[in-house]
Amino acid sequence: YMRYPNKPRINEFLEKKGTLTTGIIQRVENRNVIVNIGKTDAIMPQREQIPREYYKPGNRIRVFVLNVKETSRLPQVIVSHAHAEIVRELFELEVPEIEDGIVEIKSISRDAGFRTKIAVYSDDPNVDAVGSCIGNKGIRVNEIVQELGGEKIDVIEYCADPIEFIARALSPAQVLMVSITEEEKRARVIVADEKLSLAIGRNGQNARLAAKLTGWKIDVKPASSIQTQEDAE
């Protein structure tokens, strides 16, 4: 039985759970990335890594503390580099209006390493929530994109009206019509035929992220399918 006289208490790490911290990459071990976050080495499992990202030992990295488990030795800390909260923190750091509570982040959906959609809102009619997040000539959002290794970011203005919000969430595709079924929280979206692949996105990514952002199931259909239906009737 070994004793650890300077063993950090689990409480020190429990306080970090659900927060972001900066660490130093130590090594890659069995596909896990080992990150030193001060008094301990945390584990970043493969599922919490960003695809195609090269984790180089010695590099600083911003991670989200997912979980802390008590073990017989040191507390085991699990961290993530793919968590949506990392995007939230970067926007809070880069956009003073968010830090000051003038602009609110309503929701975030992230496909780490590829694309993020973020819905923002301000109840001050004189404040452009989207413009604040993008910054003059895109300076603010570009800083965040750079920090995330080139991940695409769609900044969308939140709207309490689900029809309008769903239409905006499918950006950059333009939507012709949205009809919703409240009970099932399902939306049927019509886009021009030539915009169908843009609305759905590669491997369904754009529609999937829009669904997660809004909390609605989204079915995207081309305008021609409606015409065909009407002709059949």
Side-chain angles (χ1 to χ4, degrees):
Y1 176 71
M2 288 178 70
R3 297 185 65 187
Y4 293 84
N6 299 319
K7 176 180 168 180
R9 292 193 309 279
I10 190 163
N11 294 356
E12 292 178 42
F13 298 107
L14 284 172
E15 284 166 13
K16 285 189 173 184
K17 188 178 171 180
T19 66
L20 281 131
T21 189
T22 300
I24 308 268
I25 298 168
Q26 300 298 302
R27 61 193 181 281
V28 179
E29 209 173 78
N30 303 327
R31 296 194 176 173
N32 296 326
V33 178
I34 310 302
V35 183
N36 182 271
I37 57 165
K39 293 184 181 174
T40 193
D41 283 350
I43 297 167
M44 179 162 56
Q46 194 177 14
R47 66 177 182 277
E48 298 301 337
Q49 296 165 27
I50 293 177
R52 305 194 310 252
E53 182 88 26
Y54 174 55
Y55 293 103
K56 187 182 174 193
N59 280 4
R60 289 172 73 80
I61 186 172
R62 190 182 261 111
V63 290
F64 182 78
V65 181
L66 275 181
N67 207 355
V68 179
K69 297 174 188 167
E70 181 76 278
T71 69
S72 57
R73 293 179 59 209
L74 298 173
Q76 188 189 62
V77 183
I78 309 291
V79 295
S80 171
H81 193 216
H83 204 281
E85 284 300 311
I86 292 172
V87 178
R88 181 188 295 276
E89 162 125 322
L90 289 172
F91 270 94
E92 284 172 358
L93 290 171
E94 205 59 52
V95 182
E97 292 86 343
I98 293 174
E99 188 63 45
D100 298 341
I102 299 163
V103 171
E104 184 188 346
I105 297 172
K106 286 286 191 178
S107 60
I108 300 172
S109 60
R110 186 179 187 202
D111 189 350
F114 301 100
R115 188 177 212 136
T116 283
K117 286 183 184 282
I118 179 167
V120 296
Y121 174 75
S122 178
D123 53 18
D124 183 337
N126 300 317
V127 174
D128 173 2
V130 172
S132 300
C133 292
I134 290 171
N136 187 20
K137 295 182 178 169
I139 191 161
R140 289 175 176 176
V141 79
N142 287 342
E143 280 290 326
I144 297 165
V145 166
Q146 217 171 335
E147 175 81 30
L148 296 173
E151 194 171 305
K152 287 190 174 71
I153 298 177
D154 300 333
V155 183
I156 289 141
E157 187 168 8
Y158 169 81
C159 181
D161 172 8
I163 289 176
E164 182 60 38
F165 188 28
I166 290 161
R168 291 175 186 178
L170 282 162
S171 165
Q174 283 183 309
V175 166
L176 301 176
M177 194 182 89
V178 179
S179 57
I180 59 173
T181 312
E182 286 274 5
E183 310 79 64
E184 297 172 25
K185 257 198 144 190
R186 183 176 289 279
R188 188 176 189 225
V189 176
I190 308 302
V191 297
D193 287 37
E194 66 275 14
K195 299 289 182 201
L196 184 65
S197 60
L198 183 65
I200 292 170
R202 188 181 292 174
N203 302 324
Q205 184 193 60
N206 195 53
R208 191 172 64 250
L209 288 174
K212 196 172 172 196
L213 190 78
T214 58
W216 286 73
K217 297 185 189 81
I218 298 176
D219 300 320
V220 183
K221 303 281 182 201
S224 60
S225 68
I226 302 300
Q227 197 57 52
T228 312
Q229 215 175 336
E230 284 171 0
D231 292 348
E233 286 166 7

